[in-house]
């Protein structure tokens, strides 16, 4: 009960899978994000809930975590229970119990808002660069015209000046 309370105190979704990639534990945040209740997910794998291509990616990462013990982070898209496409960073690590059983422990971080802010900032920067280019061009045009006119004036007047006046 104490461990369950700790897991459920996290606002980030957390899950645990066994070495067969079957879910053995999820927290309340996982349920809120996916809309899948614990009783409906325990004992099932990603293929029961996600498109095959996405489940294949999850499986490959799970296998690497189990085989190497290396923690892996990846970014993925997920349709939330309320129909919003989320951008998630998922960290997966390997935990081993007292009997040597290996488990995948996953922590999910919703970076949707951060990703949107970054995309908006990139778009603003592109617009600012285009504006700066236009302003730069507009500022250079009068200077070029004045320079061209002064050269033209200089050429037309030079022939009318005596040698001491041209110095």
């Amino acid at each position: 009960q104490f461990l369950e309370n700790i897991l459920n105190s996290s606002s980030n979704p957390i899950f645990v899978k066994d070495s067969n990639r079957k879910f053995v534990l999820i927290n309340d945040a996982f349920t809120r994000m996916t809309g899948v209740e614990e009783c409906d997910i325990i004992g099932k794998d990603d293929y029961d809930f996600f498109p095959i291509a996405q489940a294949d990616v999850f499986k490959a990462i799970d296998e690497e975590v189990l085989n190497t013990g290396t923690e892996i982070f990846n970014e993925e898209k997920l349709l939330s229970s309320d129909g919003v496409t989320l951008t998630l960073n998922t960290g997966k690590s390997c935990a081993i119990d007292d009997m040597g059983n290996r488990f995948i422990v996953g922590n999910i971080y919703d970076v949707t808002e951060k990703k949107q802010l970054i995309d908006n900032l990139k778009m603003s920067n592109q617009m600012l660069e285009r504006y700066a280019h236009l302003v730069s061009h507009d500022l250079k045009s009068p200077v070029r015209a004045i320079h061209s006119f002064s050269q033209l004036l200089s050429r037309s007047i030079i022939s009318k000046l005596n040698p001491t006046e041209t110095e």
Side-chain angles (χ1 to χ4, degrees):
Q1 184 66 33
F2 179 66
L3 178 60
E4 187 176 321
N5 289 340
I6 291 172
L7 290 174
N8 287 326
S9 71
S10 174
S11 60
N12 291 329
I14 298 171
F15 62 88
V16 179
K17 297 179 193 176
D18 64 18
S19 59
N20 294 317
R21 297 174 315 284
K22 304 284 185 189
F23 287 94
V24 295
L25 178 73
I26 62 169
N27 70 347
D28 292 343
F30 188 93
T31 297
R32 283 191 301 276
M33 181 189 69
T34 62
V36 179
E37 296 292 330
E38 185 176 31
C39 62
D40 296 325
I41 198 168
I42 300 303
K44 296 183 179 171
D45 64 21
D46 292 320
Y47 290 98
D48 294 313
F49 301 98
F50 300 105
I52 292 173
Q54 193 170 22
D56 285 344
V57 171
F58 297 159
K59 177 183 176 183
I61 294 169
D62 291 351
E63 289 297 318
E64 186 174 349
V65 168
L66 287 171
N67 291 334
T68 67
T70 303
E71 186 172 26
I72 296 177
F73 292 90
N74 66 304
E75 184 174 287
E76 55 208 29
K77 300 284 187 192
L78 178 73
L79 190 62
S80 71
S81 59
D82 57 359
V84 176
T85 300
L86 304 173
T87 302
L88 307 173
N89 280 342
T90 302
K92 294 181 179 180
S93 59
C94 184
I96 303 172
D97 69 10
D98 294 339
M99 297 186 298
N101 297 311
R102 299 171 81 79
F103 295 89
I104 301 156
V105 179
N107 293 290
I108 301 172
Y109 306 95
D110 184 354
V111 294
T112 306
E113 188 175 322
K114 180 180 178 182
K115 189 85 163 165
Q116 185 62 46
L117 289 172
I118 290 170
D119 290 346
N120 289 345
L121 184 59
K122 285 179 182 176
M123 187 173 16
S124 293
N125 282 341
Q126 289 172 349
M127 290 170 59
L128 183 60
E129 285 175 10
R130 283 195 296 266
Y131 178 73
H133 177 74
L134 289 173
V135 168
S136 170
H137 183 280
D138 287 349
L139 289 175
K140 288 179 183 176
S141 291
V143 172
R144 280 192 209 116
I146 292 169
H147 180 66
S148 295
F149 182 71
S150 69
Q151 285 181 332
L152 181 63
L153 185 60
S154 177
R155 275 187 244 127
S156 68
I157 210 167
I158 196 94
S159 63
K160 296 177 183 165
L161 297 176
N162 65 42
T164 58
E165 295 173 322
T166 58
E167 293 175 1

